[in-house]
């Protein structure tokens, strides 16, 4: 992918209505070849598994770093189903 | 050819020995077995109740010549034929349907157990047996989710018995209500990544004193893999850069005692509680390990003193 190619990803989060959609049909999206500063910081972030909600959440609260917690990454729901 | 010169077989790779039980000889378990054989593990014991179907061919190590054959015995035979140094056997059976003593024997004979099935119930049961027998266990899987591509994300949980780490039930409690799903989608090129990483984890667990064990962080016992595919939006916060990457994630003990391992967040082994505390630092304050028992002791002491004073007072009146 060319470095200057624009990002065309959708910012809309998947809705619960997609639960019944066919698996493996996530839309094609493109990303920049080089990570942004925020992406590089996010790649160093540590996570923990909230086993009550089934979500991956940032392990270190942003209050400690002085950042607004609302600006941090959102939780990522872990897949409910797995297969071999 | 059945006899190969050992010094030549292992001339380019230091053999790591040990026995492994693999419950589930599907796509993940199948490639895992082939990798473990070549790493040096022997014997390998495979268990799977299914036969090889046409739909399996795109992602299974067995080829069309094995169609209709039970996966576990056929794969074990293939490993023995292709790599004679490995003593592999396959059992066509449902692990859940085996007698309890047979389950314990199979697990007890292994240095490491791998549960690579598509049944949450089987995964949980293997977890309980491994805990009761005292064997480390690994639980590889791939996500099935409409938000992501087929086999885009892999998941590997690993467990040490004795509450040294959270167990499978600690980590997968949120899946209890989910339906079991059959092995469905995903190409071999993506699934094999999970098998390869699982093989590394098995080797590390089997050889804790080896340098290979450095890949494991006891404070982070869940490994999530993203394959070499474009990253779907739904998982981009965890995998912000495109392509191949992995995350080792902390799994806390549950707030209430786990039904399987009895581990819980406030009374755990010292090592696990230290790891859990390290991750909990800065979060909502919670009692340190040992404080609840101190409070209980103080309360009992106070009650005893009150009863003693009352008894003395009553005695002085008589």
């Amino acid at each position: 992918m060319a470095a200057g190619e624009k990002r065309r990803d959708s910012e809309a989060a998947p809705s619960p209505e997609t639960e019944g959609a066919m698996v493996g049909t996530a839309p094609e999206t493109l990303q920049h070849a080089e990570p942004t500063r925020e992406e590089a910081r996010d790649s160093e972030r540590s996570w923990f598994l909230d086993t009550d909600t089934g979500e991956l959440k940032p392990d270190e609260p942003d209050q400690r770093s002085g950042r607004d917690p609302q600006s941090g990454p959102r939780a990522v729901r872990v897949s409910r189903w797995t297969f071999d | 050819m059945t006899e190969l010169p050992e010094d030549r077989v292992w001339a380019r790779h230091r053999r790591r020995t040990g026995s492994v039980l693999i419950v589930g000889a599907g796509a993940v378990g199948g490639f895992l077995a082939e990798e473990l054989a070549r790493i040096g593990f022997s014997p390998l014991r495979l268990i799977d109740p299914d036969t090889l179907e046409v739909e399996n061919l795109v992602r299974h190590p067995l080829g069309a010549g094995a169609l209709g054959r039970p996966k576990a015995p056929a794969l074990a035979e293939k490993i023995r034929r292709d790599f004679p140094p490995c003593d592999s056997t396959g059992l066509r059976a449902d692990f859940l349907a085996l007698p309890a003593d047979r389950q314990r024997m199979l697990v007890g004979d292994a240095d490491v157990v791998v549960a690579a099935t598509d049944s949450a119930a089987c995964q949980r049961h293997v977890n309980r047996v491994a805990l009761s027998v005292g064997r480390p266990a690994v639980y590889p899987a791939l996500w099935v989710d409409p938000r992501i591509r087929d086999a885009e994300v892999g998941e590997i949980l690993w467990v040490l018995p004795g509450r040294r780490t959270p167990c499978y039930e600690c980590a997968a409690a949120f899946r209890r209500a989910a339906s079991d799903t059959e092995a469905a989608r995903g190409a071999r090129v993506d699934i094999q990544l999970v098998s390869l990483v699982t093989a590394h984890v098995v080797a590390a667990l089997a050889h804790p004193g080896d340098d290979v064990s450095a890949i494991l962080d006891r404070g982070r016992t869940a490994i999530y893999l993203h394959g070499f595919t474009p990253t779907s939006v739904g998982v981009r916060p965890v995998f912000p850069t495109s392509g191949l990457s992995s995350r080792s994630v902390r799994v806390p003990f549950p707030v209430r005692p786990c039904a399987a391992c009895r581990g819980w967040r406030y009374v755990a082994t010292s090592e696990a509680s230290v790891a859990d505390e390290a991750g909990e630092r800065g979060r909502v304050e919670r009692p340190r390990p040992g404080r609840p028992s101190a409070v209980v002791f103080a309360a009992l002491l106070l009650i005893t003193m009150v009863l003693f004073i009352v008894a003395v007072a009553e005695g002085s009146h008589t």
Side-chain angles (χ1 to χ4, degrees), chain B residues 88-316:
Chain B
S88 63
T89 57
L91 179 63
R92 182 185 186 181
D94 182 348
F95 185 83
L96 288 174
L98 292 175
D101 57 347
R102 184 84 190 275
Q103 295 174 352
R104 292 178 62 85
M105 184 192 71
L106 286 167
V107 171
D109 286 346
D111 294 311
V112 181
V113 180
V114 179
T117 77
D118 53 18
S119 163
C122 189
Q123 301 286 88
R124 286 197 296 271
H125 189 72
V126 171
N127 176 62
R128 292 193 178 224
V129 178
L131 290 172
S132 70
V133 178
R135 293 292 183 270
V138 190
Y139 303 89
L142 289 109
W143 285 9
V144 179
D145 197 289
R147 297 171 297 155
I148 62 174
R149 295 176 184 82
D150 301 334
E152 178 177 345
V153 176
E155 172 185 300
I156 301 168
L157 305 174
W158 57 275
V159 177
L160 293 177
R163 291 190 293 278
R164 284 177 286 168
T165 67
C167 76
Y168 177 84
E169 284 206 40
C170 297
F174 62 96
R175 291 200 174 106
R176 185 170 295 276
S179 303
D180 291 345
T181 185
E182 297 180 0
R185 308 178 67 85
R188 172 168 152 155
V189 66
D190 299 310
I191 292 172
Q192 280 187 294
L193 293 172
V194 178
S195 300
L196 292 175
V197 174
T198 303
H200 279 293
V201 175
V202 170
L205 290 173
H207 299 272
D210 201 312
D211 56 359
V212 71
S213 66
I215 66 170
L216 297 183
D217 177 355
R218 195 177 292 185
R220 302 184 183 280
T221 58
I223 302 171
Y224 294 92
L225 304 175
H226 189 278
F228 198 66
T229 62
T231 308
S232 298
V233 172
V235 296
R236 198 166 289 169
V238 178
F239 304 106
T241 54
S242 61
L244 189 63
S245 64
S246 69
R247 286 284 179 274
S248 293
V249 172
R250 181 175 63 88
V251 179
F253 280 95
V255 175
R256 294 185 179 82
C258 171
C261 71
R262 310 307 299 169
W264 62 307
R265 204 167 297 178
Y266 305 114
V267 181
T269 60
S270 58
E271 289 182 70
S273 64
V274 168
D276 214 14
E277 276 197 5
E280 289 282 320
R281 195 170 46 240
R283 297 178 64 83
V284 175
E285 193 168 321
R286 60 176 183 83
R288 296 172 184 269
R291 182 175 294 182
S293 58
V295 171
V296 170
F297 176 77
L300 287 173
L301 182 61
L302 180 63
I303 294 171
T304 303
M305 290 176 57
V306 169
L307 291 174
F308 175 77
I309 293 171
V310 169
V312 168
E314 286 185 348
S316 67

Side-chain angles (χ1 to χ4, degrees), chain A residues 7 9-10 18 23-24 26-29 31 39 43 47-49 51 54 59 76-84, chain B residues 26 116 142-150 170 174-175 179 181 183 185 220 231 236-237 247 249-250 252 279:
Chain A
R7 192 171 191 146
D9 58 324
S10 166
T18 62
V23 296
E28 291 287 338
T29 58
Q31 296 167 269
E39 287 173 344
S43 67
W47 297 77
F48 81 98
L49 174 63
T51 56
D59 209 350
V76 173
R77 195 190 75 222
V78 172
S79 175
R80 290 293 189 270
W81 295 272
T82 58
F83 74 104
D84 69 339
Chain B
L142 289 109
W143 285 9
V144 179
D145 197 289
R147 297 171 297 155
I148 62 174
R149 295 176 184 82
D150 301 334
C170 297
F174 62 96
R175 291 200 174 106
S179 303
T181 185
R185 308 178 67 85
R220 302 184 183 280
T231 308
R236 198 166 289 169
R247 286 284 179 274
V249 172
R250 181 175 63 88

